[in-house]
Amino acid sequence: MNASLERILPEKRLFLRSDDHSRFVRLRPLTQLVGISGITLAFGWTLVASSVLAIDAISAGSSRGGIASTQTAFEQRLTELSQERDARAAEALAAQNRFAVALEQVSQMQSQLLASEEKRRELEAGLDVVQSTLRSAISDRNDTVADGAPAGDADPARDQEVAAALDILTGELRQTADERATAVQQAEEARRAVEELSLERDQILARNDEILTQLENAVSVSVKPLDDVFRSVGMNPEDVLDTIREGYSGQGGPLTPMGRSTRGDAALTNSETKANQIIVTLDQMNTYRIAMEKLPLAMPVKDSFRYTSGFGRRWGRAHEGIDMAAPVGTPIHATGDGIVTHAGRQGAYGNLIKIQHELGVETRYGHLSRIRVKVGQRVSQGERIGDMGNTGRSTGPHLHYEVRMKGRAVDPMSFIKAASNVQ
């Protein structure tokens, strides 16, 4: 191999001279090839690792914008579904009103039909009386004729009265029969209209129920990642929700007596139950959103940096934060809204800033070269609070970043990953 590589990498000799004697080191072609390969691999590994860290830093910096855009799109979708649900509810209410009007018309037509039937019975009874009287008159006339009385002695005035009464009764019966047929036809048309309205109402209620189900599924799916975020950082979601609700619990306004309908609202009651459940879930999601805004989920370093040490045991002792290395003077930003409780030198931390956030969370920023805030100052997420340095017990310029919950140190990476999970 040395012989074949001799033309590309000729043998080199490194001479080492002193006052008394001289020596040389022979660098064979194979040795030179191994050295060049090692240097090339080391340089390539350094380039790839730096690229990965740069991509991670860019992704972490853009996570907040992604969260905001995702939340805006989700809220817009919920608004569209809510508007569609309200439109379907209005259509269902209109259909219910038309259904009630149709029922009222059917009731009136049934009343008219019953009145016509009653009138017909009365006319039939009167006709029976007239027919009975007519039969009696005819029987008397026949008896008179049979007894030898002349037929011309019959009372013509009485016959005319009976004939006139028969004509009147016949006309009344014909008119009553016509009115009854018309009422029956109208009642049948009203019944068909009621069936159509009932079908339309059922379709609207089914569509409304489908929309409510979509809304319920959407908000339920959206709440789960938020619930997982708090569990991943070691917080009980129920305790977080209770804490936020205590701070946002205002109520008021005039009270007005409420009227309720007792007819035709059985299906609406089921929809109202789903709508109320959706409102409860939306309130839970909004409460989670408020809590997320109070947590320190941003990155303390937005410029390029390297993770040089993680959370856990290091050199036989507990390392209660993570180290991010970058040049001296690199801007350090607050990872969440809060109040500065310490801004000065503290032992091995060097120049240290402590920020107290809500929900019992505290963040610490150590080894700073410059502090830009004061004790008692309220800071916002992303605000520049200091510069990276090499103060305290430090082997080089870096940021020591800690997150504590109720005084207990937790892994800051869980908060950083939580922001990515929300996205």
Side-chain angles (χ1 to χ4, degrees), residues 92-352:
L93 182 60
Q96 185 176 0
N97 293 333
R98 293 196 300 270
F99 183 74
V101 172
L103 285 178
E104 186 67 24
Q105 291 177 352
V106 170
S107 178
Q108 293 176 359
M109 292 178 182
Q110 288 178 345
S111 300
Q112 293 175 1
L113 187 61
L114 290 176
S116 299
E117 187 69 20
E118 185 66 25
K119 187 175 180 181
R120 185 183 64 81
R121 291 197 185 99
E122 292 177 357
L123 290 175
E124 288 178 351
L127 182 61
D128 291 339
V129 173
V130 172
Q131 289 176 347
S132 177
T133 304
L134 181 61
R135 282 195 297 270
S136 298
I138 293 174
S139 178
D140 292 343
R141 187 189 64 178
N142 293 334
D143 292 342
T144 302
V145 172
D147 291 339
D153 293 341
D155 190 355
R158 185 176 181 183
D159 293 342
Q160 291 178 357
E161 292 177 357
V162 171
L166 285 173
D167 292 339
I168 293 173
L169 288 174
T170 302
E172 291 289 340
L173 284 173
R174 186 178 296 108
Q175 181 180 357
T176 302
D178 294 340
E179 291 178 354
R180 180 176 181 275
T182 302
V184 170
Q185 182 179 2
Q186 292 177 349
E188 182 64 23
E189 292 176 354
R191 184 184 64 79
R192 288 196 296 268
V194 168
E195 291 178 354
E196 293 176 357
L197 288 173
S198 178
L199 179 61
E200 180 184 0
R201 177 175 176 269
D202 293 339
Q203 291 175 349
I204 292 175
L205 289 176
R207 176 57 179 163
N208 191 37
D209 184 72
E210 180 182 353
I211 294 174
L212 291 175
T213 301
Q214 292 177 356
L215 271 174
E216 189 175 14
N217 294 336
V219 296
S220 298
V221 170
S222 301
V223 165
K224 188 178 183 304
L226 298 176
D227 187 83
D228 294 339
V229 164
F230 290 99
R231 296 187 186 278
S232 66
V233 298
M235 304 177 79
N236 187 339
E238 296 299 329
D239 295 340
V240 172
L241 292 176
D242 292 340
T243 302
I244 297 299
R245 285 167 182 156
E246 288 178 0
Y248 294 79
S249 59
Q251 294 181 350
L255 298 177
T256 304
M258 180 173 60
R260 293 182 179 274
S261 173
T262 58
R263 183 176 65 180
D265 60 350
L268 290 178
T269 301
N270 185 29
S271 299
E272 291 172 357
T273 302
K274 282 192 174 183
N276 291 333
Q277 182 60 40
I278 291 173
I279 291 174
V280 171
T281 310
L282 284 175
D283 175 70
Q284 182 180 3
M285 187 173 66
N286 185 57
T287 306
Y288 273 138
R289 180 185 60 80
I290 295 173
M292 291 289 293
E293 293 176 353
K294 299 180 181 300
L295 287 179
L297 296 179
M299 289 291 294
V301 180
K302 297 183 179 180
D303 296 348
S304 299
F305 68 91
R306 290 180 55 240
Y307 287 108
T308 55
S309 184
F311 180 85
R313 298 189 62 82
R314 186 183 67 177
W315 304 333
R317 301 182 64 182
H319 184 234
E320 297 181 335
I322 59 175
D323 293 340
M324 305 177 184
V328 174
T330 300
I332 305 301
H333 304 271
T335 56
D337 299 347
I339 298 176
V340 178
T341 58
H342 180 88
R345 197 168 186 88
Q346 180 175 320
Y349 285 103
N351 291 331
L352 173 67

Side-chain angles (χ1 to χ4, degrees), residues 392-412:
R393 186 165 60 84
S394 172
T395 61
H398 72 284
L399 170 70
H400 174 82
Y401 176 58
E402 283 188 20
V403 178
R404 292 178 175 265
M405 293 180 54
K406 298 180 180 180
R408 180 177 59 86
V410 296
D411 189 356

Side-chain angles (χ1 to χ4, degrees), residues 68-111:
S69 61
T70 302
Q71 180 178 350
T72 302
F74 177 72
E75 290 178 352
Q76 183 178 2
R77 177 56 180 162
L78 286 182
T79 302
E80 293 175 355
L81 288 175
S82 298
Q83 292 175 352
E84 187 176 357
R85 181 205 63 188
D86 295 338
R88 294 297 178 269
E91 292 177 2
L93 182 60
Q96 185 176 0
N97 293 333
R98 293 196 300 270
F99 183 74
V101 172
L103 285 178
E104 186 67 24
Q105 291 177 352
V106 170
S107 178
Q108 293 176 359
M109 292 178 182
Q110 288 178 345
S111 300

